[in-house]
Short mmCIF file of all heavy atoms in Angstrom, two decimals:
data_model
loop_
_atom_site.label_atom_id
_atom_site.label_comp_id
_atom_site.label_asym_id
_atom_site.label_seq_id
_atom_site.Cartn_x
_atom_site.Cartn_y
_atom_site.Cartn_z
N GLN A 474 187.39 294.75 -164.27
CA GLN A 474 186.38 294.06 -165.05
C GLN A 474 185.37 293.39 -164.11
O GLN A 474 185.74 292.66 -163.22
CB GLN A 474 187.03 293.00 -165.94
CG GLN A 474 186.06 292.27 -166.83
CD GLN A 474 186.75 291.26 -167.72
OE1 GLN A 474 187.97 291.15 -167.71
NE2 GLN A 474 185.98 290.51 -168.48
N LEU A 475 184.10 293.67 -164.36
CA LEU A 475 183.04 293.11 -163.52
C LEU A 475 182.93 291.61 -163.74
O LEU A 475 182.86 291.16 -164.88
CB LEU A 475 181.73 293.79 -163.88
CG LEU A 475 180.51 293.58 -162.97
CD1 LEU A 475 179.56 294.73 -163.12
CD2 LEU A 475 179.81 292.27 -163.30
N GLN A 476 182.96 290.84 -162.65
CA GLN A 476 182.84 289.39 -162.76
C GLN A 476 181.98 288.83 -161.64
O GLN A 476 182.03 289.30 -160.51
CB GLN A 476 184.22 288.71 -162.68
CG GLN A 476 185.01 288.75 -163.97
CD GLN A 476 186.19 287.80 -163.96
OE1 GLN A 476 186.93 287.75 -162.99
NE2 GLN A 476 186.37 287.05 -165.04
N LEU A 477 181.18 287.82 -161.98
CA LEU A 477 180.42 287.05 -161.02
C LEU A 477 180.73 285.59 -161.30
O LEU A 477 180.54 285.13 -162.44
CB LEU A 477 178.91 287.28 -161.16
CG LEU A 477 178.33 288.64 -160.75
CD1 LEU A 477 178.60 289.70 -161.82
CD2 LEU A 477 176.84 288.53 -160.52
N VAL A 478 181.19 284.87 -160.30
CA VAL A 478 181.58 283.48 -160.48
C VAL A 478 180.85 282.62 -159.47
O VAL A 478 181.08 282.74 -158.25
CB VAL A 478 183.10 283.31 -160.35
CG1 VAL A 478 183.46 281.85 -160.54
CG2 VAL A 478 183.84 284.19 -161.36
N GLU A 479 180.00 281.73 -159.97
CA GLU A 479 179.27 280.82 -159.10
C GLU A 479 180.09 279.54 -158.85
O GLU A 479 180.86 279.11 -159.71
CB GLU A 479 177.92 280.42 -159.72
CG GLU A 479 176.98 281.57 -160.01
CD GLU A 479 177.10 282.09 -161.43
OE1 GLU A 479 178.16 281.90 -162.04
OE2 GLU A 479 176.13 282.68 -161.94
N SER A 480 179.85 278.96 -157.71
CA SER A 480 180.47 277.68 -157.37
C SER A 480 179.58 276.96 -156.35
O SER A 480 178.65 277.55 -155.81
CB SER A 480 181.87 277.88 -156.80
OG SER A 480 181.81 278.65 -155.61
N GLY A 481 179.88 275.69 -156.12
CA GLY A 481 179.18 274.93 -155.11
C GLY A 481 178.14 273.96 -155.61
O GLY A 481 177.56 273.20 -154.84
N GLY A 482 177.90 273.97 -156.92
CA GLY A 482 176.94 273.03 -157.47
C GLY A 482 177.49 271.61 -157.46
O GLY A 482 178.66 271.38 -157.16
N GLY A 483 176.62 270.67 -157.77
CA GLY A 483 177.04 269.28 -157.83
C GLY A 483 175.86 268.34 -157.82
O GLY A 483 174.71 268.76 -158.01
N LEU A 484 176.16 267.08 -157.58
CA LEU A 484 175.13 266.04 -157.53
C LEU A 484 174.74 265.80 -156.07
O LEU A 484 175.61 265.58 -155.22
CB LEU A 484 175.67 264.75 -158.15
CG LEU A 484 174.80 263.49 -158.02
CD1 LEU A 484 173.48 263.68 -158.76
CD2 LEU A 484 175.55 262.28 -158.55
N VAL A 485 173.45 265.80 -155.82
CA VAL A 485 172.95 265.58 -154.46
C VAL A 485 171.71 264.71 -154.53
O VAL A 485 170.97 264.76 -155.51
CB VAL A 485 172.67 266.93 -153.76
CG1 VAL A 485 171.59 267.71 -154.48
CG2 VAL A 485 172.33 266.74 -152.30
N GLN A 486 171.49 263.92 -153.51
CA GLN A 486 170.31 263.06 -153.46
C GLN A 486 169.08 263.89 -153.07
O GLN A 486 169.21 264.92 -152.39
CB GLN A 486 170.52 261.94 -152.46
CG GLN A 486 171.57 260.93 -152.88
CD GLN A 486 171.66 259.75 -151.93
OE1 GLN A 486 171.18 259.82 -150.79
NE2 GLN A 486 172.25 258.66 -152.39
N PRO A 487 167.90 263.44 -153.46
CA PRO A 487 166.68 264.12 -152.99
C PRO A 487 166.67 264.24 -151.48
O PRO A 487 167.03 263.30 -150.77
CB PRO A 487 165.57 263.22 -153.50
CG PRO A 487 166.15 262.56 -154.71
CD PRO A 487 167.61 262.34 -154.38
N GLY A 488 166.28 265.41 -151.00
CA GLY A 488 166.30 265.67 -149.58
C GLY A 488 167.61 266.26 -149.07
O GLY A 488 167.69 266.71 -147.92
N GLY A 489 168.61 266.28 -149.93
CA GLY A 489 169.92 266.78 -149.54
C GLY A 489 170.04 268.29 -149.60
O GLY A 489 169.07 269.00 -149.92
N SER A 490 171.25 268.76 -149.32
CA SER A 490 171.51 270.20 -149.26
C SER A 490 172.79 270.55 -150.02
O SER A 490 173.68 269.71 -150.17
CB SER A 490 171.67 270.65 -147.80
OG SER A 490 170.50 270.39 -147.05
N LEU A 491 172.84 271.79 -150.46
CA LEU A 491 174.03 272.37 -151.08
C LEU A 491 174.09 273.83 -150.72
O LEU A 491 173.04 274.46 -150.49
CB LEU A 491 173.97 272.25 -152.61
CG LEU A 491 174.26 270.93 -153.29
CD1 LEU A 491 173.99 271.07 -154.79
CD2 LEU A 491 175.69 270.48 -153.05
N ARG A 492 175.28 274.39 -150.69
CA ARG A 492 175.42 275.84 -150.56
C ARG A 492 176.16 276.37 -151.78
O ARG A 492 177.30 275.98 -152.03
CB ARG A 492 176.15 276.26 -149.29
CG ARG A 492 176.09 277.78 -149.09
CD ARG A 492 176.71 278.25 -147.80
NE ARG A 492 178.15 278.34 -147.86
CZ ARG A 492 178.89 279.13 -147.09
NH1 ARG A 492 178.29 279.90 -146.18
NH2 ARG A 492 180.19 279.16 -147.21
N LEU A 493 175.47 277.23 -152.51
CA LEU A 493 176.07 277.87 -153.66
C LEU A 493 176.69 279.20 -153.25
O LEU A 493 176.18 279.89 -152.36
CB LEU A 493 175.01 278.12 -154.74
CG LEU A 493 174.17 276.92 -155.16
CD1 LEU A 493 173.23 277.31 -156.29
CD2 LEU A 493 175.03 275.74 -155.55
N SER A 494 177.78 279.54 -153.90
CA SER A 494 178.45 280.82 -153.66
C SER A 494 178.56 281.59 -154.96
O SER A 494 178.72 280.99 -156.03
CB SER A 494 179.85 280.59 -153.07
OG SER A 494 179.80 279.92 -151.84
N CYS A 495 178.50 282.90 -154.86
CA CYS A 495 178.71 283.80 -155.99
C CYS A 495 179.75 284.81 -155.56
O CYS A 495 179.46 285.70 -154.75
CB CYS A 495 177.41 284.47 -156.39
SG CYS A 495 177.59 285.76 -157.65
N THR A 496 180.95 284.67 -156.08
CA THR A 496 182.03 285.59 -155.73
C THR A 496 182.11 286.66 -156.80
O THR A 496 182.13 286.37 -157.99
CB THR A 496 183.35 284.83 -155.64
OG1 THR A 496 183.23 283.79 -154.68
CG2 THR A 496 184.48 285.77 -155.23
N THR A 497 182.14 287.90 -156.34
CA THR A 497 182.09 289.03 -157.27
C THR A 497 183.39 289.82 -157.24
O THR A 497 184.12 289.82 -156.24
CB THR A 497 180.92 289.96 -156.94
OG1 THR A 497 181.18 290.64 -155.71
CG2 THR A 497 179.61 289.17 -156.82
N SER A 498 183.65 290.52 -158.33
CA SER A 498 184.80 291.41 -158.41
C SER A 498 184.53 292.47 -159.46
O SER A 498 183.66 292.30 -160.32
CB SER A 498 186.07 290.63 -158.74
OG SER A 498 185.95 289.97 -159.98
N GLY A 499 185.28 293.57 -159.38
CA GLY A 499 185.16 294.62 -160.38
C GLY A 499 184.08 295.65 -160.11
O GLY A 499 183.89 296.55 -160.92
N PHE A 500 183.35 295.51 -159.02
CA PHE A 500 182.36 296.51 -158.65
C PHE A 500 182.14 296.45 -157.14
O PHE A 500 182.54 295.51 -156.47
CB PHE A 500 181.04 296.33 -159.40
CG PHE A 500 180.26 295.09 -159.01
CD1 PHE A 500 179.10 295.19 -158.26
CD2 PHE A 500 180.66 293.83 -159.44
CE1 PHE A 500 178.37 294.07 -157.91
CE2 PHE A 500 179.94 292.70 -159.11
CZ PHE A 500 178.79 292.82 -158.34
N SER A 501 181.49 297.47 -156.62
CA SER A 501 181.25 297.56 -155.19
C SER A 501 179.96 296.84 -154.84
O SER A 501 178.87 297.39 -154.97
CB SER A 501 181.17 299.03 -154.77
OG SER A 501 182.39 299.70 -155.03
N LEU A 502 180.11 295.60 -154.39
CA LEU A 502 178.96 294.75 -154.14
C LEU A 502 177.95 295.38 -153.18
O LEU A 502 176.75 295.23 -153.34
CB LEU A 502 179.43 293.40 -153.58
CG LEU A 502 178.33 292.40 -153.23
CD1 LEU A 502 177.56 291.98 -154.48
CD2 LEU A 502 178.93 291.18 -152.53
N HIS A 503 178.43 296.13 -152.18
CA HIS A 503 177.56 296.61 -151.13
C HIS A 503 176.56 297.66 -151.62
O HIS A 503 175.65 298.04 -150.88
CB HIS A 503 178.38 297.18 -149.97
CG HIS A 503 179.22 298.37 -150.32
ND1 HIS A 503 180.46 298.27 -150.90
CD2 HIS A 503 178.97 299.70 -150.18
CE1 HIS A 503 180.95 299.48 -151.08
NE2 HIS A 503 180.08 300.36 -150.67
N TYR A 504 176.71 298.14 -152.85
CA TYR A 504 175.75 299.10 -153.39
C TYR A 504 174.53 298.43 -154.03
O TYR A 504 173.52 299.10 -154.26
CB TYR A 504 176.40 299.97 -154.45
CG TYR A 504 177.33 301.03 -153.92
CD1 TYR A 504 178.63 301.17 -154.43
CD2 TYR A 504 176.91 301.92 -152.94
CE1 TYR A 504 179.48 302.14 -153.95
CE2 TYR A 504 177.76 302.90 -152.45
CZ TYR A 504 179.05 303.00 -152.96
OH TYR A 504 179.89 303.98 -152.48
N TYR A 505 174.60 297.14 -154.32
CA TYR A 505 173.62 296.54 -155.19
C TYR A 505 172.90 295.35 -154.59
O TYR A 505 173.50 294.52 -153.88
CB TYR A 505 174.28 296.10 -156.48
CG TYR A 505 174.93 297.24 -157.22
CD1 TYR A 505 176.30 297.43 -157.19
CD2 TYR A 505 174.15 298.16 -157.93
CE1 TYR A 505 176.89 298.51 -157.84
CE2 TYR A 505 174.73 299.23 -158.58
CZ TYR A 505 176.09 299.40 -158.53
OH TYR A 505 176.67 300.45 -159.16
N ALA A 506 171.60 295.26 -154.89
CA ALA A 506 170.88 294.02 -154.61
C ALA A 506 171.43 292.93 -155.53
O ALA A 506 171.97 293.20 -156.61
CB ALA A 506 169.40 294.23 -154.86
N MET A 507 171.27 291.69 -155.08
CA MET A 507 171.74 290.54 -155.84
C MET A 507 170.64 289.48 -155.86
O MET A 507 169.81 289.41 -154.95
CB MET A 507 173.00 289.95 -155.20
CG MET A 507 174.20 290.88 -155.20
SD MET A 507 174.89 291.12 -156.87
CE MET A 507 175.54 289.47 -157.20
N ALA A 508 170.69 288.65 -156.88
CA ALA A 508 169.66 287.63 -157.02
C ALA A 508 170.25 286.33 -157.52
O ALA A 508 171.35 286.29 -158.08
CB ALA A 508 168.57 288.10 -157.97
N TRP A 509 169.49 285.28 -157.29
CA TRP A 509 169.77 283.97 -157.87
C TRP A 509 168.61 283.60 -158.80
O TRP A 509 167.45 283.79 -158.46
CB TRP A 509 169.92 282.92 -156.80
CG TRP A 509 171.20 282.98 -156.03
CD1 TRP A 509 171.43 283.65 -154.87
CD2 TRP A 509 172.44 282.34 -156.38
NE1 TRP A 509 172.73 283.48 -154.47
CE2 TRP A 509 173.38 282.66 -155.37
CE3 TRP A 509 172.85 281.51 -157.42
CZ2 TRP A 509 174.69 282.21 -155.38
CZ3 TRP A 509 174.16 281.05 -157.43
CH2 TRP A 509 175.06 281.40 -156.42
#
């Protein structure tokens, strides 16, 4: 089953940083472009 699961969001102050992740399963990621 094709799944995309985002994580890494949260509360941050202006000027701060975050790294979001998108973990995929159920398909061959290397064949496809991806977007946010």
Side-chain angles (χ1 to χ4, degrees):
Q474 182 178 357
L475 191 155
Q476 280 194 314
L477 290 77
V478 180
E479 301 93 336
S480 61
L484 172 64
V485 62
Q486 292 185 342
S490 300
L491 283 174
R492 189 176 80 155
L493 308 183
S494 299
C495 172
T496 303
T497 69
S498 60
F500 69 107
S501 298
L502 178 64
H503 63 277
Y504 285 129
Y505 301 103
M507 296 290 292
W509 286 92

